[in-house]
Every structure is written in C-alpha cells, then in structure tokens.
Amino acid sequence: MSETTGASYAAAGVDIEAGDRAVELMKEWVKKTQRPEVLGGLGGFAGLFDASALKRYERPLLASATDGVGTKVDVARRMGVYDTIGHDLVAMVMDDIVVCGAEPLFMTDYICVGKVHPERVAAIVKGIAEGCVLAGCALVGGETAEHPGLLGADDFDVAGAGTGVVEADRLLGADRIRTGDAVIAMASSGLHSNGYSLVRHVLLDRAGLALEAEVAELGRTLGEELLEPTKIYSLDCLALTRTAEVHAFSHITGGGLAANLARVIPDGLHATVDRSTWTPGAIFDLVGRTGNVERLELEKTLNMGVGMMAIVPQESVEVSLTALADRGVDAWVAGEITDRGDRETGAELVGDYAG
C-alpha cells in the first residue's frame, strides 16, 4: 500500500506566510493615512474610528459607498504596474461620497488574488494609501484573499468601501437645485476607471495595439495612458463648499456625463451641457476613431474629459471657478439648469465639441 501525503492549505494553493509578509510590507503605507480619530493599528479584526469626533455636528449624517475599478485591473496586470490601481479605487469610492457634501472619514479595502505575491499586494495598498491621503481619509483595515483555482496566479481584483459625514442641513442634492443654476465641469485626468471593457475591446483586442507602443497623439505609451490614475476630487469639492454656495455635485462615472448628471436633477428641471465648451482628450478620439464608435455610444460609456460637475447659483460662478483654479483644478462653465415644464426632464449634451 503506497503512502499518501495528507492534504494541507498550502497544498491547496494558499500561502499564509506570504499573506503575513504582505501585511508587514503594507504597514508603513497604511500609517501614512492615519487621522487622529483612528484607534489601534493594522492587523486587528476590525478598524476602529472614534465616533466622539462627530459630537461637533448637530445632526451628523453618515454617507457610505462601495466600488471597484472594473477591468482596468487587467491593464495593470498586463503592464506589471500595481501601485496606481489603488489610487483609482479611492477615487471611485470617495468621490461618490463627497457628492452629497460629506467629508471622507475612513475606508477599507478588499484585494482578491490568485496567488499572494507580497510585493505586489503591498504595491496595491501603497496606491490605496496614497489615494486616501489625497482624499483626506484614513485606511483603517482591509482583507487580502487568495483564491487559487478560481483566479490565475497573476490575476487580481480590488474593491473598497468608505464612510463620510455631513451635517444634515448642509446635505447637497437635487432639492437645492434651481432654475438658472450654472453647471461647472471639472476636467478628468483621462479615462478614469470606467468603460475599460469597451476600451480594451477596441484598442487591444480588435486593433491589436501593444500597451508598450508609443502613441504620438497621446505623447506616451498606450499603457501609460490607460493606467493614468483617476483624479480624486474630494478635497477640492469640500474646499469649494466652504468658499461658495454649491447646490449639488455629480461624479461622472459609469454611464457617462448625461446619465450621471441626471441623477441629481429634480423633477421639472433640466440640465443642458454644451459640448463646445471643451475638447475631450486624445484618448477619447483614439477609442472612437479606432473602433468606429458612435459619439453617443462613447458618451454613455466614457467621461469624455469631465470627471466631476458642480451645480451652483449664477452668483457663485466666478468665485467657484477662482477657488477651483487656485487648487489647480481645470474647470469651466459647461451648461445651465432650465425649467422644461411638463417636458421630459434630466440632462442632455448639445452642440459639437471644440477643436
């Protein structure tokens, strides 16, 4: 009778020691995100945040959001670049939270891998930590899960959840919007983290472009363009609310500009955005031209160069633009709010892009 070796977790493909090394490598980055309200350190079963800090609010409302970065992770995997995708994750979560006027407080992450490569996991967390610093929130905990047999050795995905707080009487949204309000657009840093299934299909699968190839109109390699981190607007938006009257924000993510703007437009009103007020970046034209993608299809998939929008009263326009410019945010008046009466309400793009 032949001898058999007993089954083990390691034999099944899970390396607990590698996971422990990854935690040690990420600790220095997590420390950089700490706020005074955070208690304890990395490694506990739960992250702790001192809620007594909310006593200064009369009626604090907690805002929460969760998201991932979609198939942009495939580009990171192909490029072997892991320290930017976490930045995207923070942007997707915390820029949703700030839309209602909430201050980002803390975030947790979930990293799922086929095989734990400690340095790679630490690089992902480094990006998340750097993003949290830019958003003004703490990274209080997370989870790294190893799924051998379900994911390839180099495959991974990331997700995160965040919490913020806003005073009830300062909550932003549709009920504040009025006829005549201006729609201010804030430039995106590129594709951000939406529409990559279309982008990858067009540029990589159909056109066969190499991520390492220099693309003249982009001024860099295709891979560098596709991995450009998503801009984090959280602190810029909060600063704007302290400087000017703001009625609402809209984070331009999946679904495109019109659909996301429509989410904050109240019944009976309509947002009209004029395409002639800006020129989308070269990457949007490259995707459209290479894939023969119709403009409306591009617009309902990609941000077309606008990552965040603010709706403000006309008397706040100049101070808003100045405040954003002082923070290095490229912004412009892109449209207005009108009363459509009984006609269909929502948001629409009109005209043709400049350039």
Side-chain angles (χ1 to χ4, degrees), residues 57 59-63 100-103 164-172:
Y57 291 83
R59 186 188 170 199
L61 302 180
L62 294 180
C100 67
E103 173 193 357
V165 62
V166 60
E167 189 69 73
D169 63 7
R170 296 186 62 82
L171 183 68
L172 304 181

Side-chain angles (χ1 to χ4, degrees), residues 170 239-247 312-313 316-317 319-321 323:
R170 296 186 62 82
L240 183 59
T241 64
R242 293 190 291 267
T243 304
E245 182 180 353
V246 177
H247 288 167
V312 306
S316 293
V317 168
V319 68
S320 296
L321 293 176

Side-chain angles (χ1 to χ4, degrees), residues 30 32 50 66 94 153 171 196 212 216 226 240 251 268 274 276 288 298 300 305 309 313 319 339 343 348:
V30 175
K32 297 178 185 296
D50 186 356
T66 185
M94 288 306 178
L171 183 68
Y196 272 73
E212 301 78 13
L226 297 187
L240 183 59
H251 186 198
D274 187 352
S276 69
L298 281 177
K300 73 178 184 180
M309 305 197 91
V319 68
D339 188 339
R343 288 181 291 172
E348 65 176 335

Side-chain angles (χ1 to χ4, degrees), residues 62-272:
L62 294 180
S64 66
T66 185
D67 210 339
V69 298
T71 59
K72 190 171 183 175
V73 296
D74 182 60
V75 180
R77 179 188 62 79
R78 294 193 195 191
M79 292 287 290
V81 176
Y82 301 96
D83 62 353
T84 62
I85 205 74
H87 186 123
D88 296 293
L89 179 63
V90 177
M92 301 309 290
V93 173
M94 288 306 178
D95 283 345
D96 274 356
I97 283 176
V98 82
V99 162
C100 67
E103 173 193 357
L105 294 177
F106 57 85
M107 181 170 175
T108 57
D109 65 62
Y110 176 78
I111 302 170
C112 181
V113 300
K115 178 178 176 57
V116 173
H117 300 280
E119 291 75 18
R120 293 183 188 178
V121 174
I124 294 170
V125 174
K126 171 179 178 287
I128 297 173
E130 291 174 338
C132 284
V133 171
L134 291 174
C137 66
L139 181 60
V140 298
E143 171 72 8
T144 300
E146 193 171 21
H147 289 177
L150 295 181
L151 297 176
D154 293 328
D155 293 337
F156 74 100
D157 198 7
V158 295
T163 299
V165 62
V166 60
E167 189 69 73
D169 63 7
R170 296 186 62 82
L171 183 68
L172 304 181
D175 62 325
R176 291 180 178 262
I177 297 175
R178 299 291 182 266
T179 300
D181 283 354
V183 179
I184 293 177
M186 302 179 211
S188 69
S189 55
L191 293 169
H192 285 185
S193 298
N194 294 105
Y196 272 73
S197 293
L198 173 65
V199 172
R200 291 166 47 251
H201 175 66
V202 167
L203 300 182
L204 305 182
D205 299 338
R206 289 182 54 177
L209 300 180
L211 291 171
E212 301 78 13
E214 292 283 344
V215 181
E217 60 203 278
L218 300 178
R220 54 182 170 177
T221 69
L222 178 61
E224 289 171 336
E225 177 70 27
L226 297 187
L227 281 189
E228 178 67 33
T230 304
K231 181 171 177 57
I232 297 175
Y233 300 92
S234 302
L235 295 184
D236 300 318
C237 290
L238 290 177
L240 183 59
T241 64
R242 293 190 291 267
T243 304
E245 182 180 353
V246 177
H247 288 167
F249 289 113
S250 177
H251 186 198
I252 311 305
T253 58
L257 194 155
N260 281 286
L261 184 56
R263 294 167 67 179
V264 298
I265 304 302
D267 291 342
L269 297 186
H270 192 81
T272 301

